[in-house]
Amino acid sequence: MSPLPLVLLAALSAAPRLVPVPALAKVRPGQPLEALGEARLRAARGECEGIQVQVAPTAEVTSADVAPLKGPGRGDVAVKVYREGWMNLTRATEGGGATGLWPDPLLPVHRARGGTNPAVLPARSTAEQPLVLYLELCVPSGTDPGRYAGQLAVRFGDGSSSSLPLELDVAPVEIPATSTLPNTFGLGVYVLVHQFGIKRESPEALALLKA
């Protein structure tokens, strides 16, 4: 084998990968990654779905773009792209929390008038602080059911690029914009203790929890 193919293989093996991750998974430094085999979602008309994409290994991301997904009908499904920001928690929350870096704010990659937001990208993805994108897909009311497809295109600081195919199956059902079901909001012990300074076993706390 000539040296050129070996060089190309080495470059390809070192190229950053785009790893799809479930929307509700917590991507944290040093923790196992709950990777998906493909970026495929399902949603009803009037519903929004999301998916995370981790950029790995170390790389500098300069842009991340997704054109509207195309499907069987005349309408398209737009995709909003965010970069997940980090919060360094110095106190663990109850119920399995931990200190350290946690993903929380969603920073819009694109400005309202178009183009990449320079305050959000470029940004680096490292082992200590991985770069994670969040894609939000909202299906408009009346969208034709079927499969919609597109791709996430990411460019890197070294001039290379990578893409991730996206698929969305739109179900033939509609979710109304206004809920017709009653809603309830709970009041937990954690809120009483940390926000209002009420002791767990005090008469005040017990009375509030029973109200």
Side-chain angles (χ1 to χ4, degrees), residues 15 19 43 54 61 66 100 105 111 116 134 140 165 167 170 183 194-195 197 201 210:
V19 184
Q54 185 191 41
V61 176
V66 183
R111 295 176 294 188
T116 299
Y134 185 90
E167 288 189 3
V170 176
N183 295 309
H194 292 277
Q195 300 298 326
E201 306 300 332
K210 291 179 180 179

Side-chain angles (χ1 to χ4, degrees), residues 40-44 69 139 144-148 167-172:
R40 186 170 182 178
L41 300 171
R42 181 176 175 84
L69 305 187
V139 182
D144 291 332
R147 181 167 298 177
Y148 290 72
E167 288 189 3
L168 172 68
D169 290 324
V170 176

Side-chain angles (χ1 to χ4, degrees), residues 89-185:
L89 301 185
T90 58
R91 185 177 67 180
T93 57
E94 293 184 356
T99 59
L101 292 176
W102 285 85
D104 189 71
L106 295 178
L107 312 175
V109 167
H110 301 102
R111 295 176 294 188
R113 61 181 182 274
T116 299
N117 185 347
V120 178
L121 292 179
R124 292 191 60 80
S125 180
T126 65
E128 296 76 21
Q129 194 165 311
L131 189 148
V132 182
L133 300 171
Y134 185 90
L135 310 183
E136 183 184 44
L137 300 80
C138 291
V139 182
S141 175
T143 299
D144 291 332
R147 181 167 298 177
Y148 290 72
Q151 67 175 11
L152 166 67
V154 176
R155 295 193 63 85
F156 302 99
D158 61 1
S160 64
S161 62
S162 186
S163 62
L164 178 68
L166 304 173
E167 288 189 3
L168 172 68
D169 290 324
V170 176
V173 294
E174 186 112 8
I175 295 180
T178 302
S179 174
T180 57
L181 300 175
N183 295 309
T184 61
F185 299 91

